Amino acid sequence: MRSWSGPDVPSIGGRAPELRIHDTRTNGLVASTPEGVARLYVCGITPYDATHIGHAATYLAFDLLQRQWLDRGLDVDYTQNVTDVDDPLLERANDTGEDWTALAEREIQMFREDMQALGMVAPRHYVGAVESIDLVAGLVERLGDSVYPVDGDLYFDVHADPDFGQVSGLDEETMLALFGERGGDPDRPGKKHPLDCLLWQAPREGEPSWDSRLGPGRPGWHIECAAIALEHLGTDFDVQGGGSDLVFPHHEMSASEATVATGEPFAQAFVHAGMVALDGEKMSKSKGNLELVSRLRENGHDPMAIRLALLGHHYRSNWEWTAADLASGEQRLDAWRAAVSRAETASGEELVGRLREVLADDLDAPTALSIVDAWAADEGTDASGGATVKDAVDALLGVRL
Ligand code: ZN
């Protein structure tokens, strides 16, 4: 397993309210009240490109979620994968002539550095696809009759899960369109149903493959996440998370595969972060409209200002990154730091209570920021309680002042 270290999250005492979070499957707020241990799976990157602001916004949403659970005194078992072999990575390496493993390792290292700089709590299990080949083969075997071959590859009959479609709630026409746009192969001849998804790909000329109980090949993407999540978190874990572009097909397919294999629900809630646009379109390498975290850091921007710029938007909203976001993050950071240094002993127990309340209501960071803004404008003269504002802002928002 790959290692990763993150910040220590201070404990601020007092009672944290019950968290309510938006669940895509039920399309409403659900209470998230694990006991003892909270189990979170967030889909990781395919390491062929540097971390952009859209990635950072997604991982920040789940960082806020973890901080809610930590504030309630829970142990958070956080698992994230990294798809360290997949078509986009091999294609990029092929285009540039670089060794694909060197490309992957460089981008993984850059991603971790960006996440650390932004103060993200580290995953306990950070697991690659390549090291999970045996896990994937074992899970494919458990799928039994719902697996069938197409020209040497193995496919999953999605309708083996009677609940298929319930995570996204989409109609079949929309599913087919999204499946085609997002890496699926609805038109491949020999499949029983156009939505059936790849489990295991037989070796291709010039591509890497691994020996397994299924024969040589490499894993499909959806089964990779299902296998890693089940191994490290078990079934029916608390939250499956990712960007909203993963709702379908990725999260739908992973959940169906896991449910058919185990007979149990995959996750209790499916939580999704909105998309960040740049220049009017979703950020993507192919369109060339990327704002990279590493570039902002290289240009001397304080990672905490970048974090504040992202926190200014609710995690579920779709929004467009502009220079004004960064400017307001920097302004806010200066104002908060000045207030904290003016009011060294100020505590603001009431402020902590209000912060907890708005964040427990589906992670409403923008309102949390305005509460701290009002305190900072007041020059931090409220010195009525125990915990300090500085610690609360660190613990709940991950902003180090
Ligand atoms: Zn995933």
Side-chain angles (χ1 to χ4, degrees), residues 41 43 81 221 225 250-251:
Y41 187 87
C43 291
N81 70 307
W221 177 33
C225 280
H250 187 51
H251 288 173

Side-chain angles (χ1 to χ4, degrees), residues 342-362:
R342 277 197 302 269
E344 203 64 62
T345 58
S347 54
E349 215 165 60
E350 191 203 328
L351 177 140
V352 173
R354 282 162 59 216
L355 278 184
R356 277 179 160 148
E357 215 165 280
V358 299
L359 288 166
D361 181 14
D362 200 23

Side-chain angles (χ1 to χ4, degrees), residues 175-188:
M175 285 185 190
L176 279 167
L178 288 175
F179 191 50
E181 282 166 27
R182 295 174 177 171
D185 52 3
D187 302 323
R188 180 167 183 181

Side-chain angles (χ1 to χ4, degrees), residues 24-176:
T24 300
R25 181 170 48 185
T26 52
N27 193 25
L29 295 185
V30 293
S32 179
T33 54
E35 283 181 18
V37 182
R39 294 172 300 157
L40 170 67
Y41 187 87
V42 180
C43 291
I45 58 164
T46 299
Y48 64 99
D49 230 338
T51 318
H52 60 63
I53 280 290
H55 294 127
T58 293
Y59 296 106
L60 179 56
F62 298 98
D63 189 69
L64 284 181
L65 171 63
Q66 286 188 80
R67 288 168 186 276
Q68 284 296 297
W69 283 330
L70 291 169
D71 190 35
R72 287 184 69 82
L74 297 170
D75 177 35
V76 180
D77 201 349
Y78 173 25
T79 300
Q80 188 185 128
N81 70 307
V82 52
T83 306
D84 54 5
V85 63
D86 203 3
D87 294 343
L89 172 63
L90 298 175
E91 282 162 18
R92 177 64 51 82
N94 208 28
D95 288 350
T96 59
E98 186 175 13
D99 174 68
W100 67 274
T101 54
L103 170 62
E105 291 309 316
R106 190 181 67 237
E107 295 301 347
I108 289 168
Q109 184 53 27
M110 175 92 89
F111 172 70
R112 275 188 299 219
E113 284 170 13
D114 284 342
M115 292 296 109
Q116 280 165 350
L118 292 171
M120 309 286 190
V121 176
R124 181 170 293 169
H125 312 286
Y126 188 50
V127 190
V130 173
E131 64 183 304
S132 305
I133 300 280
D134 288 343
L135 285 181
V136 169
L139 187 58
V140 170
E141 285 178 336
R142 289 174 73 187
L143 287 171
D145 292 346
S146 60
V147 181
Y148 64 91
V150 178
D151 300 331
D153 298 338
L154 297 179
Y155 274 78
F156 173 58
D157 170 7
V158 294
H159 293 94
D161 174 16
D163 288 341
F164 176 75
Q166 288 197 359
V167 171
S168 63
L170 298 171
D171 59 45
E172 187 162 303
E173 194 185 339
T174 311
M175 285 185 190
L176 279 167

